[in-house]
Amino acid sequence: MVWLRRWAQFSALLTLLHSTHGLAARKFRFKLDQLYEVGIGLDSVRGTLAAFGDFNNDGHTDLFVISSDQKTVETWVWDNTNKEFSHLSAADIKTTHAITNVVPGDFDMDGKLDLMVQGQQSSSGETFMSIYLGDGAKFNDAVDLPSATEALPFAFDYNGDGWVDFLGRSWDQRENKAGAQTWVWQNAQKSGPDMYDLTEFVPANSNTTQGMCKPASPHSSAFVDLDGDCLADLFIVCDGNEEYQIWTNSASGFKYSQTGKLPTNAGPVSFADINADGSLDLVIPIPGKSQIYVLFNTQRPLCVGVRKNGECRKYSSICEADPQFSFSLNDAKIIDIDKLWPGEVLLDKIDSFDGQAPPAVKIADFNLDGFPDMAVVTSSGKKSSHIRLLKSIKCKNCTAPRDERSFEAVTSGVQVLEKLGRPQDIAFFDIDDGGTVDMLVALVDASGSKRLAAIYNNFFTDAFFIKAVVSPADQHVRSHAGILPGASFKYLLVSDSGKKHVAQSPQTPQTAYRALTTPYSMIGLGRTNNYIEDFSIGSTAQLGTRTRSFEGLIPNSQVVVFPYNTTSDWRLELYMNRSESTPYILATLLSSMALLGIAVFALNTMERRADQREKQRALHSINFDAL
């Protein structure tokens, strides 16, 4: 009967694998392996996509759109029953000045999503900032903050208390030549007009002679981990867009680390682990030209084989800072768009938008193979623009470490992108929370009106994913609506060939100039034959120890982490997507169990009858001998 028990165990394991690998029930069903434009209720949108966030705390991502006249922020909530967005007019925000940026977040830590609305006066350059506190159904009256210069402040955590602060240049202090170039709108944890205090940025090593440079306008500064310790650092693009500064995070505050060079005429910087080596690299387009620079982050690699102490990271210390990390412009990998699509250059500005918002390279792993891919908007004339996809591939016959990965044009299955009129910007976004990387495209149609097109990713991917998010939490509030900028995920994976490697993914590293980052991080795991061995999470939400590792996470699931006062109190919630084939698998399992039960009953009956016959023959033999 041992083989029966083994077969039952194998059937149960097979059922578990099928249920974890399956995706959620989807509205869209297509046969071909390609992209499709789908209707999700956004046909009436006539504005500019501004930000993502979970407004009504239902676990689904909603949209915030700036109207065509840039005087209103519209809230579009996801209806999971009908699988489409609907306009929640009661939550619209109206202003008297032009809106140029929207920053979602839980600024008062009540578990409800709030909005910071930033608007500029083109004549003076003054940036007005107001916070609208949400209650899950609408936004209340504005709380006005001190104005900033045209260099938009961005979200970060100044003192490691988990409350969202902002870093930028104060409008009132702009002429103060002797004072600081950067200021902090620090969350005072109060309500009303005193919600934020304007303070001077003070480095942790206050005796240093190196001050923070004047932020550029526009800039792509970020709150993101760059030294490998899973804690977000400050990346500041300096005025002139020729240099950047990095200020590393520590328990005592931010310390100056290094200054680096940017390419000439550099555009917005994006961050991603391009070569999946456990460190975040810089991706820099050159608007108006046909080049993308990739500056690789050089850090200690993962220990493989025998190395001297300090030259590599141990498997148990993947969130360990490397003070010697560096970027080199001289060793940058250059991607030539003109070689992939002759005659096309990167789009240098967005049409019909009052405010500085240059398009950046959008990065996501759309085929979930573990290596980030890219999407850019190119131009081949005044009235002609295109969405172009670049897929990460392993470079053949390459010798330099920086050339381990290359990019090729995706030309098959993307015909729908050629029918979108004049695209202006793109955002990667999981449309129906099914575990794929879809797209929202902002475009100008034939009539000259702005609209949004939803592009559904129907490419077959034989790979796994993790959808991860860190949400703010304290003793009284735990909500999925909050957004914690700067959270970081590092994960140790074992490939199907048995090779281990570490990769990294950031959460909401940028919030200025319509960065269009989602509140979650969609992580491609590739083809792995095991659970995630080590999933390390870093958050600046709590003072002291601010990293935590979890083991044995199941692929194809959503992970929500709530960082409490100590890492031992951190709470992890794991949600598995229900498979469409679960009822069939369950029916198959029950049928198999029924057949096995019948077989066991029949064999047991046959064995009992055989035993009875043996007993009767033995009894007959004894009686015969007695005679």
Side-chain angles (χ1 to χ4, degrees), residues 205-212:
N205 48 345
S206 55
N207 57 347
T208 181
T209 58
Q210 179 66 55
M212 182 172 287

Side-chain angles (χ1 to χ4, degrees), residues 26 28 30 34-40 42-43 49 85 366 375 387-389 413-421 423 425-432 436-443 451-459:
R26 285 179 170 270
F28 312 109
F30 303 103
Q34 64 181 42
L35 301 178
Y36 289 89
E37 183 176 1
V38 295
I40 54 173
L42 299 177
D43 296 339
L49 181 63
F85 287 97
F366 77 85
I387 295 292
R388 299 304 188 188
L389 286 179
V414 296
Q415 292 79 7
V416 67
L417 298 180
E418 298 293 340
K419 306 175 183 179
L420 294 179
D425 206 354
I426 186 173
F428 284 110
F429 173 65
D430 186 3
I431 290 177
D432 58 353
T436 58
V437 180
D438 310 306
M439 291 172 274
L440 290 179
V441 179
L443 58 94
R451 74 176 185 92
L452 290 180
I455 307 300
Y456 178 79
N457 182 358
N458 201 57
F459 286 121

Side-chain angles (χ1 to χ4, degrees), residues 122-336:
S122 56
S123 58
S124 65
E126 181 179 3
T127 298
F128 300 99
M129 301 194 298
S130 300
I131 287 182
Y132 295 81
L133 301 178
D135 58 13
K138 64 181 186 307
F139 290 105
N140 300 311
D141 294 338
V143 177
D144 295 329
L145 274 61
S147 295
T149 63
E150 65 276 6
L152 296 181
F154 64 97
F156 81 125
D157 186 358
Y158 181 47
N159 52 359
D161 59 0
W163 294 67
V164 180
D165 309 308
F166 291 88
L167 182 69
R169 293 187 63 210
S170 167
W171 176 256
D172 293 335
Q173 299 292 331
R174 66 189 185 280
E175 301 297 340
N176 187 356
K177 303 298 183 181
Q181 295 287 357
T182 51
W183 291 74
V184 178
W185 284 257
Q186 186 171 356
N187 198 317
Q189 305 181 17
K190 300 177 182 178
S191 59
D194 298 327
M195 187 173 180
Y196 277 84
D197 294 330
L198 186 62
T199 61
E200 183 177 337
F201 176 83
V202 178
N205 48 345
S206 55
N207 57 347
T208 181
T209 58
Q210 179 66 55
M212 182 172 287
C213 66
K214 176 182 177 182
S217 174
H219 63 77
S220 51
S221 301
F223 188 47
V224 63
D225 173 36
L226 295 174
D227 63 352
D229 62 353
C230 296
L231 296 181
D233 310 306
L234 285 174
F235 179 88
I236 307 297
V237 178
C238 301
D239 190 28
N241 278 314
E242 295 181 354
E243 290 184 339
Y244 62 84
Q245 284 186 353
I246 297 176
W247 294 71
T248 55
N249 204 343
S250 66
S252 57
F254 294 95
K255 298 180 179 180
Y256 171 78
S257 172
Q258 58 188 265
T259 298
K261 292 289 186 180
L262 291 171
T264 304
N265 299 321
V269 182
S270 301
F271 303 85
D273 190 355
I274 297 297
N275 52 358
D277 65 346
S279 59
L280 295 178
D281 310 309
L282 311 183
V283 180
I284 310 169
I286 310 298
K289 297 184 180 297
S290 58
Q291 290 182 329
I292 300 175
Y293 282 70
V294 179
L295 275 62
F296 289 102
N297 191 339
T298 303
Q299 294 186 18
R300 290 198 305 268
L302 191 67
C303 292
V304 178
V306 179
R307 295 184 181 228
K308 296 180 181 179
N309 294 333
E311 289 187 359
C312 61
R313 281 194 177 94
K314 298 180 179 179
Y315 292 137
S316 58
S317 304
I318 60 176
C319 279
E320 184 179 76
D322 181 2
Q324 304 302 318
F325 78 99
S326 63
F327 301 91
S328 175
L329 180 59
N330 295 329
D331 294 331
K333 181 178 182 62
I334 301 177
I335 304 170
D336 290 313

Side-chain angles (χ1 to χ4, degrees), residues 160 229-231 319 470 473 488 535-551 560-573:
D229 62 353
C230 296
L231 296 181
C319 279
V470 179
S488 183
F535 194 78
S536 295
I537 302 165
S539 171
T540 61
Q542 302 296 337
L543 298 171
T545 303
R546 293 176 284 180
T547 61
R548 173 76 188 272
S549 295
F550 297 91
E551 298 178 355
V560 183
V561 179
F562 298 98
Y564 287 97
N565 294 331
T566 61
T567 53
S568 60
D569 295 330
W570 285 24
R571 180 182 178 89
L572 181 143
E573 296 180 356

